Amino acid sequence: RRDCGAHRVIMFSAHNCGGMPCVGKPFFTSSLDWSLDTAHESRFPVDGYQRMPVDSVYIGMLLEMTRMGHLRVNVEALPKDCMIARFYSQEGVVDSVWYYIAGVDSQLAYMSVANYERKFTESELTRIDISVNTIRNRFK
């Protein structure tokens, strides 16, 4: 986390009663594990995010991330009333990248890497990509 400029890294599992996310069906996300910069610990819920119902904007972002392998979240362009915009505003996220990790037993494993102070540099994004690839390989 430190060598790539991230203040917070979260591994998530998106899930429902089975299958990929679909608008109109209940769909949830839960944090599985996380690493936080100690200076920013108070920004993240102590118990993480558990079985949080996601809205259509979030589902669309998950689908795009799955299709492309990653998604650079334009925090400033998010609709203000969507779930992720509210969470990012509460936490103070300035930049975030989501990475598809794997589909495991009808669950979607993905990772969110965020910075609370500035946008990631290209060099940091490259180091994050390499780290994410190592994690993906563990699921193969």
Side-chain angles (χ1 to χ4, degrees):
R1 178 183 40 79
R2 289 186 190 113
D3 67 339
C4 64
H7 293 125
R8 113 147 136 67
V9 177
I10 308 171
M11 179 69 81
F12 283 100
S13 172
H15 48 92
N16 64 3
C17 53
M20 290 298 287
C22 178
V23 176
K25 288 185 178 179
F27 204 77
F28 307 91
T29 192
S30 297
S31 54
L32 302 174
D33 198 8
W34 52 86
S35 176
L36 307 170
D37 182 297
T38 54
H40 299 92
E41 283 178 322
S42 63
R43 296 176 184 238
F44 185 73
V46 174
D47 295 327
Y49 297 107
Q50 297 303 310
R51 200 166 161 73
M52 297 294 303
V54 297
D55 58 19
S56 61
V57 171
Y58 201 107
I59 289 173
M61 292 170 67
L62 287 173
L63 291 170
E64 179 69 10
M65 174 206 63
T66 301
R67 188 176 72 76
M68 298 298 294
H70 71 280
L71 175 70
R72 181 84 179 263
V73 178
N74 185 342
V75 176
E76 296 165 354
L78 290 169
K80 298 300 177 208
D81 61 342
C82 73
M83 182 183 103
I84 194 64
R86 292 191 321 269
F87 286 3
Y88 278 4
S89 176
Q90 175 67 31
E91 282 188 48
V93 171
V94 172
D95 197 11
S96 177
V97 186
W98 295 5
Y99 291 91
Y100 171 80
I101 302 299
V104 180
D105 298 329
S106 73
Q107 295 186 29
L108 175 66
Y110 65 103
M111 181 181 284
S112 168
V113 182
N115 187 300
Y116 292 124
E117 297 169 359
R118 60 176 174 74
K119 298 217 180 262
F120 290 110
T121 66
E122 289 302 314
S123 176
E124 289 168 338
L125 289 171
T126 299
R127 288 195 299 273
I128 294 168
D129 288 344
I130 292 167
S131 295
V132 167
N133 190 60
T134 300
I135 294 167
R136 282 181 181 144
N137 286 333
R138 292 181 183 160
F139 281 85
K140 291 183 180 181

